[in-house]
Amino acid sequence: MQIARRLPTLVVAAAAALALLGSPAAVADSVPLYNSAQSNFVNGNDGAGLEDLRRLLAESPDDAEALALQSIWSDYAGDVIAREAALLRLNSVNPQMADGVRTVFRAVGAAVGTLPNPIPAIAGPQTGIVVLGYGLLPDGTMRPELVNRLQAAWLQAIASPLSPIVVTGGNPRAGITEAAAMQGWLVGHGIPANRVLAEHQAGSTVGNALNASDMLRDAGATSAIVVTSPNHIRRAVADFIVAGMPVVGATTSLEQLVSSLPPPSRPGQRGIYLDATRTLLLPSQR
C-alpha cells in the first residue's frame, strides 16, 4: 500500500526529470541542427544558422551551447532583442556560460576598436608579451612575415625589460615548431633565454590564446601585450580577452599597417566572432 501511494509522486518526479533533461529523441535531433547551424555560420549563412538554432531550441529550450550561439550570432546580425532573450534564458540555465557570452561581446567591441600599432608599449613584470606564430617553410626556416612579428616583439621586449615573453605556435616543419624558431631568434638577438617561454602546441589563434594565457598566468602575468601582424591583431585581441587574459597593448609590425587601420566592416568581423565562439569552447561540431 505504501508503494502504491508513492507511485504518483514517483511518476511526477520522473516526468520532471525527463522534462529537464529532454527526451532522447530531442537530444538526438539537436545534433544535426547544431552542426548545421555551425556550418551555416562558417559559410556566412547567418539567417539559416539562426533558424537551425530556433528549431533546436524549440525542442531543447535549455541547450546552453545553442543558447550561447543564438545570443552571439544574433549580436552579429544586429538583432538586440533576440540576443538579450537568448542571454536571459542562458543565464537561468548556465550562468557561467552566460558570463562567457558577455565576455565575447566585450572582446568583440575591444577588438574592433583596436588599432594596429608599431610603437611598443611600456609595461612592468605583471604584463606579459605574447608573440603569435606564423607557418614555417618546409625546411623549418621562418617566413618574412614571422620575422616582421619578431622584430616588433624585440622592440616591445626592450621597452618592457621585466615582462615575461611567451612565443606560441606549433605546426612543426623539419622537426622545428614555430615557437622554437621564434625563441631561437629572440635569444639570438640578445633577449635573455630565461625570459622567453615557448608554447609548442597551438595550431591556431584560438590555441595561441588559450595556451599562452595559461603560461602567462603561471609566470605571474595578469595582462598581456599581443604581438602579431596588423591584419591579425583584432582577432588575436578578441581571443585573448575571451581566454581570460586582459589585453593592454597590441603591437604589430609595419607591413600592411595602413591597409589594416580602418575598423573592419560587419562582414569583416565574421572571423572575430567565429574565433571568439571557439575560444569560449563552443564545439564546432557535436
Side-chain angles (χ1 to χ4, degrees), residues 37-176:
Q38 286 286 50
S39 295
N40 277 317
F41 293 137
V42 169
N43 294 324
N45 301 320
D46 311 313
L50 287 166
E51 176 59 20
D52 287 334
L53 293 177
R54 188 195 65 78
R55 292 170 56 202
L56 188 164
L57 289 164
E59 296 292 334
S60 304
D62 290 342
D63 188 316
E65 291 173 344
L67 286 166
L69 284 176
Q70 187 180 51
S71 186
I72 290 168
W73 286 102
S74 294
D75 182 76
Y76 176 81
D79 189 340
V80 177
I81 294 175
R83 179 194 72 190
E84 291 303 308
L87 187 57
L88 182 64
R89 180 69 178 173
L90 178 60
N91 199 62
S92 68
V93 173
N94 188 327
Q96 184 175 5
M97 187 171 288
D99 286 342
V101 170
R102 294 186 186 95
T103 299
V104 167
F105 297 151
R106 291 194 298 271
V108 170
V112 171
T114 294
L115 289 176
N117 185 6
I119 301 172
I122 306 298
Q126 289 188 310
T127 296
I129 301 166
V130 56
V131 195
L132 276 60
Y134 191 86
L136 302 175
L137 293 169
D139 64 357
T141 56
M142 293 187 296
R143 299 176 191 271
E145 184 67 27
L146 185 52
V147 175
N148 290 337
R149 294 183 185 187
L150 287 167
Q151 289 170 341
W154 183 86
L155 288 173
Q156 182 58 63
I158 298 302
S160 305
L162 300 179
S163 294
I165 303 166
V166 174
V167 290
T168 169
N171 303 314
R173 294 291 183 268
I176 302 169

Side-chain angles (χ1 to χ4, degrees), residues 168-196:
T168 169
N171 303 314
R173 294 291 183 268
I176 302 169
T177 64
E178 298 162 20
M182 291 190 287
Q183 185 179 40
W185 191 97
L186 288 171
V187 172
H189 285 76
I191 304 300
N194 61 1
R195 281 189 69 190
V196 186

